[in-house]
Amino acid sequence: MTKFSDLTRLPDAQGHFGPYGGRFVSETLSFALEELEKVYLSLRDDADFQAEFDRDLAHYVGRPSPLYHAERWSNKIGGAQIWLKREDLNHTGAHKVNNTIGQALLAKKSGKPRVIAETGAGQHGVATATVAARLGLKCEIYMGAEDVERQKLNVYRMRLLGAEVHPVESGSRTLKDAMNEALRDWVTNVDDTFYIIGTVAGPHPYPAMVRDFTSVIGREAREQSLAQIGRLPDALVACVGGGSNAIGLFYPFIEDEEVAMVGVEAGGDGVETGRHAAPLTSNAPSGVLHGNRTYLMSDASGQVSETHSISAGLDYPGVGPEHALWKDVGRVSYVAANDDAVLEAFRELTRIEGIMPALETAHALAHAKVMAAAMRPDQHIVVNLSGRGDKDIHTVAKLDGLEF
Amino acid sequence: MTMNRIDQRFAALKDQSRRALIPYITAGDPAPQHTVGFMHACVEAGADVLELGVPFSDPMADGPVIQKACERALKHGTRLADVLDMVASFRETDQTTPVVLMGYVNPVERMGYETFVRRAREAGVDGVLMVDMPPEEGAEVAPLFAEHGLQSIFLLAPTTSSVRAATICAHGEGYLYYVSLKGVTGAASLDVEAVARQLAPLREMTDLPLCVGFGIRDGETAAAVGRVADGVIVGSALVSRIAENAERPEAIPAALKAVLGDMRDALDR
Ligand SMILES: Cc1ncc(COP(=O)(O)O)c(C=O)c1O
């Protein structure tokens, strides 16, 4: 039985989280990753770097983000108290910017004048374009052609910020294909380019590095819970695409055994239909994609499966390797929320609390609602409100039969 | 155990002071029934080793030419198991030309390493190059490959540090695949002088043949690289010919032979 305290000592030196993670990349990238690892490890414990990071988070991002008691929604559900960690209030509107600020500082310290990123919903692309504008870095974003269509608003936002957005036409034309294309760019331009990966996936050291940068969410939430609830919450809930907002919230609580954790994947039309993006919930076999070993949706011959979700940001066939291990050791449970329930949660939070969540985030809300209903009013759930929903108004309007 | 076909071939080439010509084609492109014929055509045009690409849905290290080849092959349902069958069928009439499977880890991982090495050996595969499996990650399964006489071919790149190069040379078998440039397959510019400079220190580390791929387009580039390397690997230049003729596959063997024939002549001149 793995002691939960052991989970804080991962990954190992080769970037493995138990059987998962690692550095499965073509040789051309090995050197870049070794360099990145060196720079990251030297700065991680560097007081000046941390101070600069914290300063940016405070004055540019607007941290700490509030922990908000959704009292009216909790009362309506009639069970546990639901608290929302308001990452939607960050500059650029999602949790992604925490990581992006950190990696952009690394890019600057490494003397790389150009940054690239993949994006699904466009939130990570927007966050990257934003920090690139601020630091005067050249910025190019890869985005699946289907997502360019679904997330027009964010595409234009990125262009206004000075980024070049490349629609990716290969494969399933979504997030995984954008990541393939970003990796191809990186091997070609490795000398002057820093690849800012947007989630806790990719080859070592990305999963650990992105986790460390986003963990500010959980550190704040832990303190805020003690101050506002008077104790640790009973449960944490977050949506899981690659898994960065979930890891950011969960990681600082990992040794608090009394705190249950639930990651909510994209159930699409329902996990039983096969049309989903829920590798953990569906018990997908382990596989290797984008530099790491993890639960990976692929067919019997190892071809990576196309995924289905109403939310572009969760439409990914793999998941961060640390989540894979957390599932195996039973530290976190993983479930899926279907598109229907997600839309209902989106509308409900908007109408009852005046907070319009991103469709990604609405997955966490849909499941939190189910959990809360089965709990007592003196129990507490913290949900990571990972992003705001402005970017999704288009998608929802379309379902309502409206076009702008 | 008898000497691996790859080692035999390079030993023979060395005796004759000749360079290896190593074509790459994607199995199943443009359709599976043509692949074995293409393999024989390559041999007839003077190929020494065949690299047969295993189609994958997410070929991250490949440029557009080989990406599209993967898409064409997958559309016709060519999977790893089918590729092994193609090698077995090729072996019915060619027992001497070495065959290396080149591709990505996931299809092998899904088949299971034990099953894969057994079936690959039975089919007559000699070596395996998994692009996204550096020696560090492959350490666990390396003994299994060795036990079945499958050689592990590794990549070296212009960015490889000398420390890593030493590790790779220590784990490599058959030949080392030197990636001539920073980029994906099909990229244009290859700098022969730079390649020569980078191969020199590798010669000190290993006796394995050093073969160079990426950017070899025609007889001229092949000959230039052949002056500094033990072999040349040609992929996208062949796969483009296959793409151009995808609608009339009967023209493809001659097209492949034209490209390879020029290279063979230039290398042997
Ligand atoms: C608001 C929001 N939440 C969640 C995600 C999913 O990413 P992750 O699982 O890495 O948190 C995204 C990705 O685009 C997002 O924009």
Side-chain angles (χ1 to χ4, degrees):
Chain A
M1 174 81 194
T2 311
K3 286 204 299 294
F4 291 160
S5 58
D6 293 339
L7 295 175
T8 61
R9 286 194 280 278
L10 295 173
D12 68 15
Q14 282 71 47
H16 293 128
F17 300 87
Y20 306 111
R23 188 177 281 166
F24 292 86
V25 292
S26 148
E27 182 55 29
T28 314
L29 284 181
S30 290
F31 179 72
L33 291 164
E34 281 175 4
E35 286 293 290
L36 174 61
E37 184 183 2
K38 250 186 263 163
V39 174
Y40 176 58
L41 291 180
S42 73
L43 291 176
R44 189 177 58 178
D45 304 314
D46 180 283
D48 289 344
F49 179 80
Q50 279 306 330
E52 193 175 353
F53 180 52
D54 290 345
R55 216 166 33 241
D56 279 357
L57 290 183
H59 302 298
Y60 191 66
V61 175
R63 303 203 72 89
S65 67
L67 182 67
Y68 167 75
H69 185 188
E71 234 176 314
R72 218 162 94 81
W73 197 39
S74 305
N75 288 341
K76 176 162 182 282
I77 296 166
Q81 303 308 307
I82 296 178
W83 299 75
L84 305 176
K85 180 61 175 159
R86 297 289 306 276
E87 294 299 301
D88 60 318
L89 296 178
N90 293 339
H91 181 40
T92 70
H95 72 288
K96 296 280 181 192
V97 72
N98 303 306
N99 163 51
T100 311
I101 292 265
Q103 289 197 54
L105 282 179
L106 286 183
K108 206 176 84 177
K109 301 268 180 214
S110 321
K112 309 261 177 176
R114 177 175 180 266
V115 295
I116 56 170
E118 85 294 340
T119 194
Q123 286 306 112
H124 175 58
V126 165
T128 303
T130 300
V131 295
R134 174 169 174 251
L135 297 177
L137 303 169
K138 187 169 170 9
C139 177
E140 292 180 42
I141 304 291
Y142 291 93
M143 188 167 185
E146 180 171 331
D147 295 339
V148 167
E149 188 55 34
R150 284 197 274 194
Q151 304 284 347
K152 283 186 196 130
L153 187 67
N154 270 346
V155 173
Y156 189 53
R157 260 169 104 189
M158 288 185 267
R159 290 184 171 142
L160 284 174
L161 287 159
E164 213 176 304
V165 181
H166 303 289
V168 176
E169 297 285 354
S170 57
S172 57
R173 307 160 85 234
T174 59
L175 183 53
K176 86 173 167 70
D177 310 285
M179 198 149 177
N180 290 336
E181 211 50 43
L183 284 164
R184 290 180 188 120
D185 179 314
W186 202 29
V187 293
T188 309
N189 301 296
V190 64
D191 291 331
D192 74 345
T193 298
F194 191 105
Y195 180 13
I196 300 186
I197 292 186
T199 190
V200 285
H204 179 59
Y206 282 101
M209 182 172 74
V210 176
R211 173 198 72 198
D212 292 348
F213 286 139
T214 36
S215 289
V216 63
I217 301 171
R219 283 196 303 276
E220 286 176 7
R222 201 170 180 285
E223 271 179 36
Q224 290 166 324
S225 298
L226 292 173
Q228 294 174 239
I229 305 173
R231 63 177 178 84
L232 294 178
D234 300 278
L236 307 176
V237 181
C239 66
V240 175
S244 65
N245 88 89
I247 270 193
L249 177 64
F250 296 172
Y251 190 65
F253 290 87
I254 207 84
E255 291 178 86
D256 299 316
E257 296 190 25
E258 68 276 27
V259 180
M261 300 180 184
V262 185
V264 187
E265 296 186 300
D269 293 347
V271 168
E272 68 291 345
T273 66
R275 290 175 52 82
H276 59 82
L280 294 168
T281 310
S282 67
N283 266 315
S286 97
V288 174
L289 182 70
H290 296 149
N292 68 89
R293 182 178 279 128
T294 187
Y295 282 70
L296 177 67
M297 291 168 58
S298 69
D299 69 16
S301 75
Q303 308 301 331
V304 178
S305 309
E306 292 203 7
T307 51
H308 297 274
S309 169
I310 193 169
S311 72
L314 304 185
D315 220 345
Y316 185 69
V319 62
E322 194 160 16
H323 283 292
L325 180 67
W326 287 355
K327 174 182 165 82
D328 286 5
V329 301
R331 178 62 188 100
V332 179
S333 36
Y334 295 89
V335 299
N338 299 354
D339 288 350
D340 291 349
V342 167
L343 275 166
E344 194 182 299
F346 171 91
R347 292 180 198 278
E348 206 169 300
L349 196 77
T350 304
R351 291 295 290 269
I352 294 175
E353 293 288 351
I355 298 174
M356 188 182 294
L359 285 174
E360 290 79 13
T361 311
H363 286 71
L365 296 165
H367 187 71
K369 192 177 149 186
V370 175
M371 278 175 75
M375 290 165 72
R376 297 187 314 269
D378 64 341
Q379 293 184 298
H380 300 269
I381 300 176
V382 171
V383 180
N384 196 350
L385 203 86
S386 58
R388 67 180 188 220
D390 314 38
K391 69 179 177 62
D392 295 313
I393 290 177
H394 231 88
T395 305
V396 176
K398 211 165 171 180
L399 292 169
D400 284 341
L402 296 172
E403 283 284 354
F404 301 116
Chain B
M1 185 178 287
T2 55
M3 204 182 188
N4 184 293
R5 287 188 195 95
I6 301 172
D7 293 338
Q8 276 175 13
R9 179 57 57 106
F10 277 100
L13 286 165
K14 195 168 178 190
D15 285 345
Q16 305 159 6
S17 300
R18 291 175 76 223
R19 305 305 193 197
L21 175 60
I22 308 181
Y24 164 97
I25 57 171
T26 302
D29 173 28
Q33 67 273 24
H34 305 300
T35 302
V36 174
F38 295 171
M39 292 169 76
H40 287 303
C42 290
V43 174
E44 284 159 29
D48 293 299
V49 178
L50 299 179
E51 285 188 357
L52 192 57
V54 180
F56 182 48
S57 54
D58 295 81
M60 286 155 298
D62 287 298
V65 170
I66 294 179
Q67 285 173 45
K68 295 218 172 68
C70 283
E71 284 176 17
R72 284 191 297 271
L74 289 172
K75 207 166 67 203
H76 288 100
T78 307
R79 303 292 190 262
L80 177 55
D82 307 302
V83 180
L84 293 171
D85 289 342
M86 291 172 191
V87 177
S89 157
F90 172 77
R91 280 276 171 258
E92 285 170 15
T93 49
D94 186 329
Q95 282 93 44
T96 53
T97 308
V99 175
V100 172
L101 294 190
M102 181 164 182
Y104 294 80
V105 177
N106 203 53
V108 174
E109 183 125 340
R110 256 330 275 280
M111 178 176 276
Y113 290 92
E114 307 247 351
T115 308
F116 171 72
V117 292
R118 185 175 45 73
R119 291 181 61 180
R121 192 58 192 165
E122 283 166 10
V125 173
D126 304 288
V128 179
L129 196 174
M130 286 183 276
V131 177
D132 51 350
M133 176 89 107
E136 294 89 338
E137 296 294 353
E140 220 170 290
V141 292
L144 198 59
F145 281 69
E147 198 182 301
H148 288 75
L150 285 177
Q151 296 197 312
S152 297
I153 316 293
F154 289 114
L155 299 171
L156 282 159
T159 50
T160 304
S161 64
S162 55
V163 177
R164 275 191 65 75
T167 308
I168 294 168
C169 288
H171 287 85
E173 298 170 302
Y175 58 96
L176 290 166
Y177 185 137
Y178 184 81
V179 176
S180 69
L181 47 81
K182 293 167 195 158
V184 292
T185 54
S189 57
L190 175 153
D191 178 350
V192 179
E193 306 247 306
V195 171
R197 263 196 315 279
Q198 285 148 348
L199 292 186
L202 297 173
R203 297 267 181 217
E204 309 283 309
M205 290 183 197
T206 181
D207 294 329
L208 286 170
L210 300 175
C211 299
V212 174
F214 286 41
I216 310 234
R217 288 182 310 279
D218 48 22
E220 198 182 326
T221 40
V225 171
R227 280 192 276 281
V228 299
D230 302 305
V232 300
I233 301 158
V234 50
S236 297
L238 296 173
V239 176
S240 324
R241 294 292 97 76
I242 295 178
E244 285 159 14
N245 294 294
E247 300 305 321
R248 34 192 181 102
E250 65 284 355
I252 294 174
L256 296 178
K257 282 182 180 176
V259 177
L260 289 171
D262 279 353
M263 292 186 176
R264 182 78 269 171
D265 289 346
L267 283 172
D268 290 345
R269 202 169 290 142

